[in-house]
Amino acid sequence: MKNIALFLMGCGGVGRQFLQHIVSCRSLHAKQGVHLRVVGVCDSKSLVVAPDVLTAELDDSFLLEIGRVKSNGSSLQTLKDLGVCQVFSGSEVTQKVIDIGHLGKSAGLAFVDCSASAETIGVLNQVVNFGCCVVLANKKPLTEPMEDYDKLVSQPRRLRHESTVGAGLPVIASLNRIISSGDPIYRIIGSLSGTLGYVMSEVEDGKPFSQVVTAAKSLGYTEPDPRDDLGGMDVARKALILARLLGRRLNLDDMKIESLYPEEMGPDVMPLEDFLVNGLPLLDKKIEDRIKQASANGNVLRYVCLIDDVRCEVGIQEVPKDSALGRLRGSDNVVEIYTRCYEKRPLVIQGAGAGNDTTAAGVLADILDIQDLFP
């Protein structure tokens, strides 16, 4: 039985779902000859770790209890009363995590970052130096300045990050296969936000932009403040990850990022309720005019990332109605990849590109993909 020791960073929706997946897949993994041994879990404030990282693990009932505690908004510190783990909090957490990484150097250990924090990059770069594997759902470490990025990807066989771009969709894997084959990639264009994909396909039917955004918020498609989606930064991070995979030496500051609201409606200027009630309707006319212009050209509007030899940008683009992007409806993600072999008919990857379940499943698949690196 191959034994893979895991340390989870982040207990939000994706992290909790990941633990649930581990427990529910025990019988499947046993048939595959693999056992995932969770030795520790941390969030931004606390850490729970098995008594002996080299031999022990947090059992399944404890993993499910972590999910329950965090779902209720409680602290991991409440788990110390169960007596089956060590609990640390505050300033000592970071050093303890690094110590665990150092222990994993000889036995093999994978750090799984399901957080949404840029602060994990320091720890991740240290454990990479120790020889640990790193699996990411968190986009931010891969979009830090190039100096940090280079350190993180210095051991490519020990790094997996499929879930950073398309949740469970095989975007990264497909690109890596194309790159390895020597087929030059000329262009990538994709709708990488389920929220913005839904919004743009709905306004195409003649609904006001403000009405569609409000409906998307009520359906749970957007962040609590929709401007977190409408600003385009999430798509920009995904685009940067893809561009860097193609060898582009770029930072976020080098990219053109189109926000769907003006600066004077930003979170630091306009309260959320004011934006929803008074700000959003002011944006309707501009979006409507752009839709009409696109239609006159035989096209539709989509919020996309566009990467080629000279551009890496995100924003609203006109795309042909009969293309994969033009036919996109709802909250699916779509990526079109143009290469020498896929010059006139691009390689198209489409499916659910968001959600805790699909993202966590992508993380789990990434871990199994590196199982040969473990004893």
Side-chain angles (χ1 to χ4, degrees):
M1 180 73 71
K2 191 174 290 289
N3 208 298
I4 302 177
L6 304 176
F7 184 92
L8 173 63
M9 307 169 75
C11 301
V14 174
R16 296 194 301 270
Q17 190 64 55
F18 171 66
L19 294 178
Q20 178 66 52
H21 277 329
I22 288 176
V23 175
S24 63
C25 289
R26 286 298 188 200
S27 59
L28 171 64
H29 291 162
K31 291 177 183 177
Q32 296 173 340
V34 176
H35 179 73
L36 302 184
R37 182 171 64 91
V38 181
V39 301
V41 176
C42 75
D43 58 19
S44 60
K45 298 177 181 178
S46 305
L47 158 69
V48 293
V49 61
D52 184 345
V53 171
L54 297 179
T55 59
E57 65 183 296
L58 304 176
D59 66 30
D60 288 354
S61 62
F62 190 82
L63 297 181
L64 296 177
E65 185 64 14
I66 289 174
R68 188 191 67 78
V69 165
K70 292 301 295 181
S71 294
N72 293 338
S74 301
S75 168
L76 290 176
Q77 293 184 63
T78 61
L79 296 167
K80 63 184 178 184
D81 297 334
L82 298 181
V84 294
C85 65
Q86 302 175 71
V87 180
F88 303 93
S89 61
S91 59
E92 62 182 343
V93 169
T94 299
Q95 187 55 53
K96 288 293 181 183
V97 172
I98 293 170
D99 291 345
I100 291 168
H102 201 272
L103 284 172
K105 179 163 54 174
S106 56
L109 179 62
F111 278 75
V112 182
D113 186 356
C114 290
S115 74
S117 171
E119 302 302 317
T120 60
I121 184 67
V123 169
L124 293 174
N125 278 342
Q126 289 202 51
V127 301
V128 164
N129 285 337
F130 296 154
C132 296
C133 295
V134 170
V135 177
L136 302 170
N138 181 9
K139 293 178 281 292
K140 291 180 180 176
L142 290 168
T143 57
E144 288 294 290
M146 285 302 305
E147 181 182 358
D148 287 320
Y149 176 83
D150 287 340
K151 293 176 183 176
L152 185 59
V153 302
S154 62
Q155 302 290 330
R157 289 190 67 241
R158 296 182 177 276
L159 174 69
R160 293 293 184 276
H161 56 95
E162 188 69 76
S163 291
T164 59
V165 173
L169 296 179
V171 177
I172 303 293
S174 299
L175 287 174
N176 278 330
R177 287 177 63 85
I178 292 171
I179 292 168
S180 297
S181 76
D183 185 12
I185 297 173
Y186 302 136
R187 184 165 71 119
I188 298 172
I189 182 169
S191 176
L192 295 175
S193 165
T195 301
L196 295 177
Y198 170 82
V199 168
M200 297 311 297
S201 63
E202 288 292 299
V203 295
E204 182 188 324
D205 292 338
K207 300 173 185 175
F209 178 71
S210 57
Q211 178 184 321
V212 172
V213 172
T214 302
K217 183 177 186 300
S218 66
L219 289 169
Y221 288 171
T222 73
E223 295 294 327
D225 186 337
R227 287 171 292 190
D228 291 344
D229 299 293
L230 301 177
M233 185 54 70
D234 184 63
V235 179
R237 291 186 187 279
K238 294 177 180 180
L240 182 59
I241 290 169
L242 296 181
R244 286 177 168 180
L245 196 65
L246 301 187
R248 301 285 298 277
R249 305 285 294 177
L250 297 173
N251 290 314
L252 280 171
D253 292 343
D254 301 318
M255 296 176 59
K256 179 182 176 183
I257 304 170
E258 180 183 1
S259 172
L260 298 188
Y261 63 87
E263 286 186 18
E264 57 267 26
M265 293 186 190
D268 296 334
V269 181
M270 183 177 284
L272 174 58
E273 193 60 32
D274 192 13
F275 173 72
L276 294 174
V277 175
N278 301 311
L280 269 176
L282 298 176
L283 306 177
D284 289 346
K285 182 67 166 59
K286 182 180 179 181
I287 297 292
E288 182 183 353
D289 289 345
R290 293 180 72 173
I291 290 171
K292 288 179 179 178
Q293 182 60 54
S295 181
N297 296 334
N299 297 324
V300 293
L301 295 183
R302 294 291 182 262
Y303 193 97
V304 299
C305 75
L306 177 60
I307 305 163
D308 59 22
D309 290 341
V310 296
R311 292 175 292 179
C312 179
E313 59 189 43
V314 299
I316 293 178
Q317 298 268 354
E318 291 189 23
V319 299
K321 286 183 178 179
D322 61 351
S323 67
L325 281 165
R327 294 190 298 269
L328 176 65
R329 307 297 299 175
S331 59
D332 271 6
N333 282 7
V334 174
V335 180
E336 298 178 0
I337 303 170
Y338 293 83
T339 74
R340 184 187 62 216
C341 295
Y342 298 98
E343 186 172 7
K344 295 181 180 178
R345 293 173 60 85
L347 174 64
V348 177
I349 303 169
Q350 178 172 355
N356 295 336
D357 195 4
T358 51
T359 303
V363 171
L364 191 59
D366 270 352
I367 291 168
L368 294 179
D369 192 44
I370 56 174
Q371 62 179 285
D372 289 345
L373 298 176
F374 291 83

